[in-house]
Amino acid sequence: MSTRLATGGRLTDRSDRLEFTFNGKRLTGFAGDTLASALLANDQMLVGRSFKYHRPRGVVASGAEEPNALVNLGTGDRVEPNQRATTTELFHGLSATSQNHWPSLEHDIGALNGLVAPVLTAGFYYKMFIHPRPFWKHIYEPFIRQSAGLGRAPDPEARDPDTYEHVHAHVDVLVLGGGVAGLQAAHAAGAAGAQVLLLEQSPHLGGRAPVDGGTIDGQDPEAWVEATVAALKAMDNVDIRTRTMGAGIYDHGYVLGYERLNDHAPWLAGPRHRLWRIRAGQVVTATGAIERPLSFAGNDVPGVMLASAMRDYLVNYGVAAGDRTVVVTNNDDAYRTAIILKQAGLDVPAILDAREYGGGALAAEARALGIRVEQGRAIAKVQGGKRVTGVAICAQAGAGGLLEEIPCDAVAMSGGWSPVVHLWSHCGGKLLWDDAQAMFRPDPDRAPTGADGAPMLRVAGAANGFLRLGDTLRDAEAQGREAAAALGFTPGAGAAPAAEATEEAPLAPVWLMPQGARDDLRKKAWLDYQNDVKVSDVQLAAQEGFESVEHTKRYTTLGMATDQGKLSNINGLATLSRALGEEIPQVGTTTFRPPYTPISMGAIAGEAKGKLFQPIRKTPLHDWHEAHGAHWEPVGQWRRPYAYPQPGESVHDAVMREVTATRTGLGLLDASTLGKILVKGPDAGRFMDMMYTNMMSTLKPGRCRYGLMCSENGFLIDDGVVARIDDQTFLCHTTTGGADRIHAHMEEWLQTEWWDWQVYTANLTEQYAQIAVVGPKARAVLDKLGGMDLSAEALPFMGWAEGTLGGLPARVFRISFSGELSFEVAVPAHRGRALWERLHEAGAEFGATPYGTEALHIMRAEKGFIMIGDETDGTVIPQDLGLHWAISKKKDDYLGKRAQARSHMTDPDRWQLVGLETLEGGVLPDGAYAVAPGRNANGQRNTQGRVTSSYHSPTLGRGIAMGLVHKGPERMGEEIAFAMEDGETMMRARIVSPVFFDPDGEKQNV
Amino acid sequence: MKRYSAFALVREALNGHKGWERAWRNAQPKAHYDAIIIGAGGHGLATAYYLGKNFGITNVAILEKGWLGGGNTGRNTTIIRSNYLQDPSAAIYEKSRALYETLSQELNYNIMFSPRGVMMLAQTEHEVRGYRRTAHANALQGVSTEFISPRRVKELVPIIELNGPRYPVLGALWQDRAGTARHDAVAWGYARACSDMGMDIIQKCEVTGITREGGRVTGVQTTKGDIACDRLGIVVAGHSGVLAEMAGFRLPVESVALQALVSEPIKPCMDVVVMANTVHGYMSQSDKGEMVIGGGADGFNNYTQRGSFHHIEETVRALVETFPMISRLKMLRQWGGIVDMTGDRSPILSKTPIEGVFINCGWGTGGFKAIPGSGWGFAELMAKGTSPLTDPFSLNRFGEGRFIDESVAAGVAH
Amino acid sequence: MSDALLPLGGAAFEGIVTIRETGPQGMIQLRGDLSDPGLAAAVEQASGAAMPAPLGAHVTGPRGLLWMSPDELMVLVPYADAARTVAELGRALGDRHALVADVSDARAHFTVEGAHLRDVLAKLTPADMRREALAPGTLRRTRLAQVAAGLWLRDPLTAQVFCFRSVAGYMFDLLSAAASEGSEVFHHRA
Amino acid sequence: MLILKCPYCGVMADETELSPGGEAHLTRHGPGSDDTEFEAYLFMRENPRGVHFERWRHAHGCGKWFHAARCTQTLEVFGTYSAQTTRPPQDLLDTISEKRPGWRWRDLA
């Protein structure tokens, strides 16, 4: 059984006992434990179930590579699925549950899948569930979906109470990984004067060295780490962050860091996670290496563990995975585990070394301790179900013939080491195959390059294929210096510390154990523990022609689990290459994608949730609208009042009331969102003539003109009233959505096409509050405020004037989008609220009524005025809308003119704007299409027009609509049929003039 | 070809699965083919399949630079829907959706078409109007779709937040016969069927040149030698511009990176596909339990298959706001693909200035859902020189100003 | 009747730094040929500050000059003097090709004060917030989260931030969130 | 995540402070141009896998448009330059020739 030993545990504090629960069971651990070490200390070998066969799963690793020990962490709003127990720091009150089983972890019905495993081979689902067709949706898929997934989904109404944030950092040298290599590289770069940021994913610096032994500069590695960290912290130009993982490397030196601030102490104030967005001049990844499992039958039984992990649990946490541990290996490193176990007083019945030639000095040391060492031996099969009970031994050379059975309760395996090359690969770094060490390592000649085309990334230490302590430190020093040098810093005289580690005999690649394992053994030899991919599955994929490693991965789901194949990729690749009879480098490797380990969605979203999700733009009158019950409509990032329903009044009724009040008395509209762009310069007139389809250069100062803007592709993009301020100055009003877009559009043409023209523009939209004073009483109320002569003579229709209105500096435009007598008054933004309130006071006797966007839309529709976004949709040209009067014939050029000459644009068959009135007075559905006889070549009903705007007009007491109809203007009076959403029911409407109300404009010319 | 079935599986299980044949032959190029398709992605393989099935043209080679299905077919978010606004789009996407319904049986390969329904949220008045217009158009195009209420949205998607502080859900355009499929399986299924018809799928074979005589194509040069052909179909998505240059003509396309991501797998919590275009994000849950999320496209030309991270950020932000419960889920993997964008964001299926050369490209972000319909129409175009499905998507529309613009309706994203 | 001179009425937040809405600030947008000595003289006269080099911010109290782009300056004057200064500038520039506009009401202003200000701003902007990249006297136009903003340092412990008036509320909430208790980063040095 | 130097204000701008503007050095064809010219101007694009010339705007910054020469395969940036030119500066072209011998882009090489 796995237990906590009486002593030991360099990371745990035995004076600080922590309580936690697993599947409701109350357990205890120590401060410094991970959830995994604490579970093992409580003999919780079984921690989860695999994805496909629901096989019992135990802890196999001690770090980020763990594929098995995944738990649901937390409760209620804080439920987090698929959390790795091996990287979860224990805290008081932690609550975890295991995943993917029913009814319980010990007794899981899903395990029945194991019985039919022979059928459920790689890609079985592509070959069945085909007939009968309806079954996939109604029976097969629902069944498969039920068995899908690992972690529990949070409650649908769960609302994450924690906060998240981002931070940007710019550094010279970024070091990823805080093991001895990372520390040495950081020291080298720091000493050279570079600004250095070092990120370490775990809470501890020093990595494996303190566990693996040897000496650095004559001292114990742990002592050296302490001293080096102290030296780094003393450097003003070095910043070290623990619990922060290098998550991904992107182009141009952009690196994502994932900092977990209080996962280990949820009671702390402040954000839970912080996403670092780092721009680094040079990046050094010192991410170490990951030990590989060996592929033998039953290598997935709880109790079978990576040799290095078993060492970690013993040294770091004082936890033994078992009392009797058999060690199986193809290299010397695993002997360290055997030696440490033995020294801790635990039983090591045997070390099975697959190498005929056996091990080196470490093997001798093991023998000296009285451990039985067998060479050229392998595990034929592990005995036991939910935990190891023993191993059957065979010769590595054979097919698995039984030699002996050894009872044991744990197996420590080592298949050699794979450098962590993920980050190197994220941004295009290529790998080379190192035959001697049987590993992929970064190819320095094909490094990821930065903005300048030079390498931006280098790798140090074990991650670079240097597994021996001394080599690691020498490489790290060199990489750190080169990184600094690449940025123009001059490395000092410092040198790598001397390190001593026991000499090791070479490793022998072992991709299957035993070498010629029988069919029944290969079917039990796991490659991917979480997704249940076995040696036999990869061999089947090869047999069926899935020869690309990407094909095999996708066909078998190898390496697609939450660990992304950290343990299985190389073994799987080797298995595939042997099945194909090709060398590993020829078969290639898969590309690694960010992130290195999963990062929370919350962290990616950062601060942008709730009210900070997106900015809301507010006019100076926003608070007034809010206080007066505005029903809001988002328009771009603005909020505009749609209407102001009164208590007990429906939104629709409010809109009707607002229209009537405006047409009969006085309406007030907040028009502040309309764009106001100043265009000034000697060439302003010429420029305006290019921007607008109209002739603007002839506009007289003091006058206004309605103008249209088209894209170079001919389509109508914006409209509005232009006021000529003086000879050289125009003020362009744009639509609410248009202000920034149109200003950018103007600047683009000035900067990139007509840069020799003397024109400046300025976007003054937010400088002013603008209020539309509309209705028969508009002039009366403004006269009451006093200060300006706004009589028809002094300020005729389409004129503007500047002055003081009720003591406020104002610019008054006499323009109308409603057909009523109407003035738009602009005052400095901070005076807007004052003007608005004075208008309401003075207008009370005229029934002053604030109106919203919907009343605005209805009134403009009653007058047949088009609305950008309603009558236009990006495919409509002014000519479609009967706006020829606004398109200058005299000008030989304007943006869009050439485009409008193309065959399809001049086609007489284009749909054109008309008014539509239903025969019974009802309201046509917005967006409805008018049907035409017959069907097209694809069997679709032919159409001859569509509704672009449709409203009930309170003024006329019936439905009115505008639409685009085939040759519409030539078909006045004709009736056409519009299809309802069912495509069958029809609503007939008559084609009429789009101007439904006051066709002669008498109301606005008073 | 050995047929796939549950029975076959059991039979094979009993003899250790020794009997399974290769899904497709490992072919070497012949000297001449009636038709060559460049690009063994979904569109290319489907084109070859329907050339054989509908027009009896089976002396066909499909050339693939890398491994088949390794481009955008294997990198997308597998959404299948057909409720497009414009007639030509609705026609080809609905043809495609209909073919998907029976594709597993047709190919005897389970491509796992799952008509779970696709929902496009309307979160502004503008979107409501846009989707209502689409619903009206679809009714006349024979595309079944409907505009549904917020209540119905919540019934279908319990994890959604209807009253987000920024954009409340005002309704949605809902197509219940839309859904998803297993992307790799689509390529593998067509490949297996093509190979079975005697067509040659030649992987790791890069086209390096296109030979012409008097304005007519005569063959291609490849890393596996020269191959002659009468007709040539270029179906290479993001790399269309490069191939077009070899053939000697230009295209109105630009290649950009498009990204996607998946979460770690969790137990089923969302059975439909939801697209939220106002906030730029869409999400579904795969049969494996991963939340599959589509990100945005870069605004600059890019062939790296790596996009810019801020698109991932924008998308995740939008989805955490729309589905707050995903906040504590984790992003497992992100990746990018190269898509080619045209001037009107609609595809090009067309003859080219070079006689005998046909181009199928410009699917932008919407290619996967179109695979069967695109293959069907493009095969007809290559065989007969015209097809009602593809004719509106010809190259000359840009010169004439006859665009097929889907961004017209609110549903911009594919 | 209310006359809201400041969009947020002078809101303030105390966290790991202090956020305070400031102003009103007279702001005059000037576009023209910055290399023209006559123009330089005019703006120096109007602002009492020397013509800044690119990315320069020459500000003392309410007066100063911000270099906004190769052909644009922001002239800072006391709010009450803005209208008069616009007129004076207009006269001084004579018939030069230039654009002068009073934009004093178009923006909102905030100070971010405290030792953590670089870290707090770095949470929101991709711009380099290191001492050597943003010293007092330098203006950086960038974005803070999702909106455009300009920022410069009055002194090592005081940053001045401005953005458009309509997003004043968003900016204040944003800065406050970035300054929330327990969110110290300890990366940038003051 | 690109980072480009704005040639106008000198700032090293993050991609999120910039807005992309598509292919550079297009010649505007207005009224009088023939259909092919006009179509090419509006729609035909180089879209090379390699050296490319493109437009950017320092949107969250000084607001100026500028040009960049960039490799679409490695994202290497050869240089940025003024928007007020119809042709990249010669020294930039020389730099590119050094780094990418035999490159071509429209009539440039």
Side-chain angles (χ1 to χ4, degrees), chain A residues 677 738-749, chain D residues 57 65:
Chain A
I677 299 167
D740 299 340
R741 181 167 48 87
I742 296 302
H743 181 240
H745 172 69
M746 288 179 167
E747 278 295 322
E748 176 177 356
W749 283 96
Chain D
R57 181 178 183 228
W65 281 90

Side-chain angles (χ1 to χ4, degrees), chain B residues 66-380:
Chain B
W67 40 280
L68 71 88
N72 295 340
T73 302
R75 298 169 182 275
N76 68 89
T77 50
T78 79
I79 296 172
I80 296 163
R81 66 177 184 95
S82 64
N83 50 354
Y84 282 68
L85 175 69
Q86 311 291 4
D87 285 353
S89 314
I92 197 164
Y93 286 110
E94 174 60 15
K95 175 68 180 178
S96 203
R97 197 202 57 76
L99 288 167
Y100 263 125
E101 292 237 354
T102 56
L103 201 55
S104 293
Q105 295 71 35
E106 161 123 25
L107 300 177
N108 175 236
Y109 201 93
N110 186 359
I111 58 119
M112 300 179 208
F113 174 65
S114 165
R116 59 182 62 181
V118 173
M119 176 188 294
M120 294 190 284
L121 300 178
Q123 295 183 278
T124 64
E125 292 296 331
H126 179 69
E127 264 186 322
V128 172
R129 303 181 69 251
Y131 287 143
R132 285 205 172 278
R133 177 179 166 191
T134 304
H136 277 103
N138 289 164
L140 299 174
Q141 294 156 341
V143 176
S144 133
T145 184
E146 63 180 314
F147 190 86
I148 60 175
S149 71
R151 229 176 111 264
R152 181 102 173 89
V153 168
K154 184 72 178 175
E155 285 166 14
L156 288 160
V157 191
I159 67 171
I160 205 168
E161 170 60 72
L162 287 181
N163 307 307
R166 193 63 179 81
Y167 299 105
V169 174
L170 305 175
L173 189 65
W174 169 242
Q175 186 175 25
D176 69 343
R177 294 301 295 169
T180 61
R182 176 80 181 91
H183 54 13
D184 295 321
V186 172
W188 299 341
Y190 274 119
R192 178 162 166 267
C194 287
S195 178
D196 187 52
M197 278 191 279
M199 298 180 178
D200 292 343
I201 301 167
I202 302 158
Q203 301 185 79
K204 294 187 193 161
C205 175
E206 182 167 9
V207 171
T208 54
I210 294 171
T211 46
R212 290 159 283 164
E213 269 174 40
R216 198 181 199 313
V217 67
T218 58
V220 296
Q221 298 132 34
T222 79
T223 49
K224 294 192 174 181
D226 295 2
I227 313 175
C229 69
D230 307 338
R231 296 193 198 83
L232 179 67
I234 300 174
V235 196
V236 296
H239 295 76
S240 306
V242 180
L243 270 294
E245 198 183 349
M246 287 183 199
F249 61 93
R250 287 169 86 203
L251 286 172
V253 299
E254 299 197 81
S255 298
V256 302
L258 175 72
Q259 299 178 82
L261 64 121
V262 294
S263 77
E264 296 179 310
I266 54 172
K267 291 299 175 187
C269 63
M270 186 170 105
D271 291 334
V272 308
V273 181
V274 177
M275 313 177 83
N277 295 322
T278 296
V279 294
H280 303 121
Y282 51 98
M283 182 166 94
S284 64
Q285 185 173 22
S286 74
D287 284 346
K288 214 167 162 297
E290 299 164 330
M291 308 310 286
V292 182
I293 294 171
D298 286 337
F300 55 89
N301 300 42
N302 184 343
Y303 284 91
T304 62
Q305 286 190 337
R306 294 188 300 270
S308 298
F309 186 76
H310 62 94
H311 295 293
I312 297 290
E313 194 178 304
E314 185 192 3
T315 301
V316 169
R317 183 197 296 160
L319 293 171
V320 170
E321 193 69 7
T322 313
F323 310 99
M325 61 82 86
I326 71 169
S327 177
R328 293 178 93 89
L329 302 189
K330 302 188 225 60
M331 173 172 80
L332 173 61
R333 184 171 73 256
Q334 68 167 100
W335 66 93
I338 303 305
V339 300
D340 45 356
M341 301 284 198
T342 67
D344 61 2
R345 296 293 182 265
S346 286
I348 293 168
L349 298 106
S350 180
K351 297 180 177 176
T352 69
I354 315 298
E355 207 188 332
V357 175
F358 302 81
I359 181 95
N360 176 343
C361 68
W363 290 96
T365 62
F368 178 75
K369 66 175 68 64
I371 285 173
S374 158
W376 182 284
F378 197 56
E380 183 174 29

Side-chain angles (χ1 to χ4, degrees), chain A residues 434-450:
Chain A
D434 179 329
D435 225 13
Q437 304 192 88
M439 62 166 66
F440 275 108
R441 55 182 174 81
D443 179 350
D445 299 333
R446 292 181 297 166
T449 54

